[in-house]
């Protein structure tokens, strides 16, 4: 089977996939999940900062442990 067989159906599959994803994103039940996911980049700001001793130790070895 080659492109000549499946080629004419690819645009239809792409359109159906796009419409399906579009509907899935707009479903009201997914709103809370997407709002939580949108805040993930900011989640680590609530954690307390590491002590300066451990931060300076991490800077000296660039995250590599000597063996």
């Amino acid at each position: 089977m080659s492109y000549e067989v499946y080629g004419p159906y690819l645009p239809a599959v792409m359109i159906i996939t796009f419409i399906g994803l579009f509907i899935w994103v707009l479903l009201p039940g997914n709103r809370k999940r997407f709002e939580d996911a949108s805040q993930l980049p900011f989640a680590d700001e609530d954690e307390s900062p590491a002590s300066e001793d451990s931060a300076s130790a991490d800077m000296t070895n660039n995250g590599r442990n000597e063996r």
Side-chain angles (χ1 to χ4, degrees), residues 9-21:
Y9 301 108
L10 287 177
V13 169
M14 294 168 116
I15 289 173
I16 290 169
T17 302
F18 177 78
I19 291 172
L21 286 171

Side-chain angles (χ1 to χ4, degrees), residues 2-59:
S2 64
Y3 179 76
E4 288 82 19
V5 176
Y6 294 117
Y9 301 108
L10 287 177
V13 169
M14 294 168 116
I15 289 173
I16 290 169
T17 302
F18 177 78
I19 291 172
L21 286 171
F22 190 75
I23 291 171
W24 176 65
V25 166
L26 292 179
L27 286 175
N30 293 328
R31 182 180 180 103
K32 174 83 168 106
R33 197 172 1 165
F34 289 139
E35 285 179 357
D36 291 343
S38 71
Q39 296 303 316
L40 282 176
F42 309 110
D44 63 342
E45 291 180 4
D46 295 336
E47 297 176 6
S48 61
S51 66
E52 287 188 29
D53 295 332
S54 65
S56 64
D58 290 339
M59 295 292 283

